[in-house]
Amino acid sequence: MPARAAPKTVILLMGPPGSGKGTQAQALQERYGLERIETGRILREIAKEPSDRGRRVQTFVDSGRLAPPPMVAQLVAEEARRILAGGGGILFDGSPRTLAEAEILSRLLSDITDRVLVIMLDVPKSESVARILKRWICTDCKRPQPPMPDIAEACRLCGGKLEKRADDTTAIVEKRWEEYTFRTLPVIEYFNRQGKVARVNGNRPISDVVSDVAHIVTERLGI
Ligand SMILES: [Zn+2]
């Protein structure tokens, strides 16, 4: 199916860990031809520029230190602005992660578009934890697999060997939930006060969630 045009459109996909953001992001990207905002890639590209900001980013890339969050947020927002100014649409998947970053992004995009939609995938914590602990990934094609019981067989796509992701443990999932609750929920609240959030029940089969998300996009953005 050819992508539908989504000019000057910003879709932010948010939700707790294990809510299926990656899967829904892929579906949205294919359906609307959105450009996915990936912070790491943006920083690596800026580092190559022969400019002041290029040299500033390069020092962080070279030293392996993390760039300060406000600086990263500013650079990501500038990149988003550039894509929107060219008539494109963009997708944020799980970011911005903090209120400060959300405010920087909103400020930089406010005069270029008001077509901003936050899709919040609702999944109860018990379900999210169960999904993550059952998650397997293929060592060959690196594609995630549908949740399965403890003993996983071969990859459903290429027959490769499956393994658990190293960070899919109970302790790390708890930590990701804590981070989500204290840092990301305020971001969703912030956009909610602007009337930009649509909630979707993510605790259903993937295809049902995909079609709900498509309906919301049509209803809210007319595409
Ligand atoms: Zn595979």
Side-chain angles (χ1 to χ4, degrees), residues 8-22:
K8 291 198 176 186
T9 300
V10 183
I11 297 181
L12 300 98
L13 202 50
M14 314 210 75
S19 56
K21 289 190 293 292

Side-chain angles (χ1 to χ4, degrees), residues 137-145 154-162:
I137 196 150
C138 175
T139 54
D140 287 339
C141 71
K142 309 291 178 205
R143 304 272 288 270
Q145 309 288 311
C155 170
R156 297 182 187 192
L157 300 150
C158 77
K161 192 168 166 287
L162 299 181

Side-chain angles (χ1 to χ4, degrees), residues 186-203:
V187 174
I188 296 170
E189 258 316 299
Y190 170 77
F191 286 116
N192 197 34
R193 283 195 297 274
Q194 303 170 18
K196 291 182 175 141
V197 177
R199 300 177 92 92
V200 176
N201 176 2
N203 196 13

Side-chain angles (χ1 to χ4, degrees), residues 195-220:
K196 291 182 175 141
V197 177
R199 300 177 92 92
V200 176
N201 176 2
N203 196 13
R204 289 171 309 149
I206 288 171
S207 58
D208 291 0
V209 181
V210 167
S211 82
D212 251 26
V213 167
H215 279 129
I216 285 170
V217 171
T218 301
E219 206 176 274
R220 297 285 195 106

Side-chain angles (χ1 to χ4, degrees), residues 26-90:
Q26 203 178 335
L28 277 167
Q29 209 179 355
E30 282 165 14
R31 190 173 168 95
Y32 302 104
L34 302 169
E35 214 168 308
R36 201 158 171 171
I37 294 289
E38 290 168 81
T39 306
R41 180 180 54 76
I42 291 171
L43 293 182
R44 282 192 300 277
E45 273 165 23
I46 292 173
K48 291 183 209 147
E49 287 176 5
S51 63
D52 276 352
R53 64 172 208 166
R55 279 183 290 276
R56 218 161 58 228
V57 173
Q58 185 66 51
T59 57
F60 288 102
V61 172
D62 285 347
S63 68
R65 281 183 302 141
L66 286 178
M71 174 180 150
V72 174
Q74 174 80 21
L75 294 169
V76 165
E78 282 171 13
E79 170 69 5
R81 236 188 116 80
R82 190 189 61 76
I83 297 167
L84 294 172
I90 52 185

